[in-house]
Amino acid sequence: GGIYGVGEGQNTLLVDANMLNRADFISHPSAGTTVFNVFNSEEGVYDNVIFDAVNQYIVTPIATYAFYYCKSVKRIKFPKRLEYVDDAAFNGCSNLQEIDLSSWTDGKMQGNSPFAFDNIFNHVPASGRIIVPEQTEADAFFMMSGTGLSEDWFTFKPDVKDDEENNCKYYIDPISNEKVFAGIYDLTKLGKEYIIPKDYAKIAPRAIYNVFRRGLYYGSLEKIAFEEGSQVKKICFNAFALNDYIKEVDLSACNQLVCIDVAAFYSMGGLIKVTFPKDAPFSSLGAFAFSNNGAMTTADISQTKIKKIGVAAFNNCVKLETLNLAPTTEMISAGAIAGNTKLTSITISSS
């Protein structure tokens, strides 16, 4: 069972291989260990929750409601390998003071975020401390904003400015000194297509989140594209999620793209077509990246260099019939194509 007092205080839950025989875990040497919702309790006894690795067994997904309303938890230390943290996993941890990402973020802050939902940390204190490696405070914001944490958890607070000429909002990444696209300035000036200017290196978390949705938007925008020579390297968490009226996203100009992050294009109800860049260096799709898109019939990533399809990346795309994968494909993660009842063709193209 749990181990108490492992150099971190007398009420520590160390999640590691010693717990693999418990009924609340499923383990596999390659897939890691999934934490199920057995620890959710208003009368919890753990001050610290530490995820660790022993031998080949590594804690990876942390499942829905895993530590729901564990009011005693004050500190969470995430592991070196972390696939994703699911819906409401730490919701209601009302005494949480510290989130330690120093192990997981080692060299990975520019990669896919593991935080897939907007209510993971709902109903936690309004402020606290996030521990990250030096020079990655802004990346912690890019990775975790929109997960239920208030802005006072972050040392980096973006200074959003208006770019009226290009009809957008932006701020500066203090580490790279690059411009981050943060949203559209004036919706009334939009036509059927909006082109994101080439001099933006990131698309911010929730940059165009829930903007073009039924009942909220009454304009004509149908397509998002990127200017030729685009410098975009990362499309962050929920960047374009929950937009019903956008029918097409053209990423073909994004040849510097490194990361399509978790849930970046989640639940875009009208999305029919996505054009991926052929020469971009990115090698994985984040968890839930295109999940819950109800209009897409074909997903073609055959010309990319993608090696890994993230957890639930194309989950519940109910009209999806054809999925064309790249010749570089090495892994299709759990649930990546689940819930697609019309899917009849999966092809991995030859190189």
Side-chain angles (χ1 to χ4, degrees):
I3 300 176
Y4 295 84
V6 190
E8 300 287 345
Q10 292 304 307
N11 295 307
T12 292
L13 172 65
L14 179 63
V15 182
D16 66 4
N18 291 287
M19 307 187 76
L20 294 179
N21 292 325
R22 292 184 52 162
D24 44 340
F25 287 86
I26 289 180
S27 64
H28 189 279
S30 61
T33 302
T34 301
V35 182
F36 282 113
N37 56 334
V38 164
F39 301 109
N40 51 19
S41 169
E42 294 193 11
E43 304 300 327
V45 296
Y46 303 115
D47 294 327
N48 302 290
V49 180
I50 300 177
F51 298 92
D52 202 2
V54 175
N55 300 323
Q56 77 271 39
Y57 295 98
I58 305 174
V59 174
T60 48
I62 301 174
T64 303
Y65 299 113
F67 292 87
Y68 187 78
Y69 275 88
C70 281
K71 295 183 178 180
S72 64
V73 172
K74 297 177 182 178
R75 176 179 179 240
I76 304 165
K77 184 175 182 179
F78 286 106
K80 185 174 182 63
R81 176 185 170 193
L82 181 59
E83 184 79 18
Y84 74 99
V85 181
D86 215 331
D87 191 26
F90 297 96
N91 190 319
C93 292
S94 55
N95 287 299
L96 184 63
Q97 300 171 8
E98 182 177 284
I99 298 170
D100 188 343
L101 292 166
S102 58
S103 294
W104 182 82
T105 53
D106 183 17
K108 295 187 178 181
M109 291 299 286
Q110 294 294 336
N112 294 123
S113 169
F115 300 101
F117 291 92
D118 59 4
N119 62 348
I120 291 171
F121 295 103
N122 274 9
H123 307 297
V124 302
S127 62
R129 181 186 182 204
I130 299 175
I131 300 175
V132 293
E134 291 183 15
Q135 302 299 310
T136 58
E137 291 88 354
D139 285 319
F141 172 83
F142 295 134
M143 187 172 68
M144 297 188 71
S145 64
T147 61
L149 296 175
S150 70
E151 65 176 18
D152 287 336
W153 276 84
F154 302 98
T155 56
F156 170 67
K157 295 175 176 61
D159 180 16
V160 179
K161 301 180 184 299
D162 296 328
D163 179 354
E164 295 186 43
E165 180 180 353
N166 291 305
N167 194 20
C168 63
K169 301 177 181 181
Y170 73 97
Y171 52 85
I172 302 298
D173 182 334
I175 306 304
S176 65
N177 206 35
E178 295 172 319
K179 294 173 72 175
V180 179
F181 178 89
I184 295 173
Y185 173 68
D186 186 349
L187 299 182
T188 66
K189 295 181 178 180
L190 294 174
K192 287 193 173 183
E193 179 180 10
Y194 179 75
I195 300 176
I196 295 176
K198 65 182 179 181
D199 55 343
Y200 290 95
K202 285 190 181 80
I203 308 301
R206 298 192 164 193
I208 309 181
Y209 173 84
N210 199 29
V211 175
F212 306 105
R213 197 168 189 180
R214 292 182 182 87
L216 297 176
Y217 176 69
Y218 299 95
S220 59
L221 183 71
E222 295 182 353
K223 180 179 179 180
I224 297 285
F226 290 76
E227 186 179 2
E228 283 298 322
S230 174
Q231 298 175 29
V232 164
K233 300 179 182 69
K234 183 171 186 175
I235 300 175
C236 293
F237 167 73
N238 265 180
F240 297 101
L242 273 68
N243 287 306
D244 295 322
Y245 286 111
I246 296 175
K247 297 179 180 179
E248 181 178 356
V249 175
D250 187 349
L251 303 172
S252 60
C254 301
N255 287 319
Q256 297 185 44
L257 189 64
V258 173
C259 174
I260 294 181
D261 211 346
V262 60
F265 298 93
Y266 174 80
S267 199
M268 296 179 66
L271 185 63
I272 297 171
K273 181 180 180 181
V274 180
T275 305
F276 291 89
K278 295 181 179 179
D279 299 318
F282 80 109
S283 61
S284 67
L285 288 177
F288 300 91
F290 291 92
S291 177
N292 208 37
N293 288 324
M296 186 186 301
T297 59
T298 300
D300 187 356
I301 55 177
S302 62
Q303 301 299 309
T304 70
K305 299 176 183 177
I306 292 175
K307 295 180 181 179
K308 179 181 177 182
I309 312 299
V311 170
F314 292 100
N315 171 272
N316 201 34
C317 294
V318 293
K319 292 187 178 181
L320 187 65
E321 298 174 0
T322 303
L323 178 61
N324 298 326
L325 302 179
T328 50
T329 303
E330 295 177 355
M331 181 176 181
I332 301 176
S333 299
I337 54 175
N340 299 325
T341 56
K342 293 190 176 182
L343 183 62
T344 57
S345 174
I346 301 176
T347 303
I348 299 180
S349 65
S350 59
S351 55

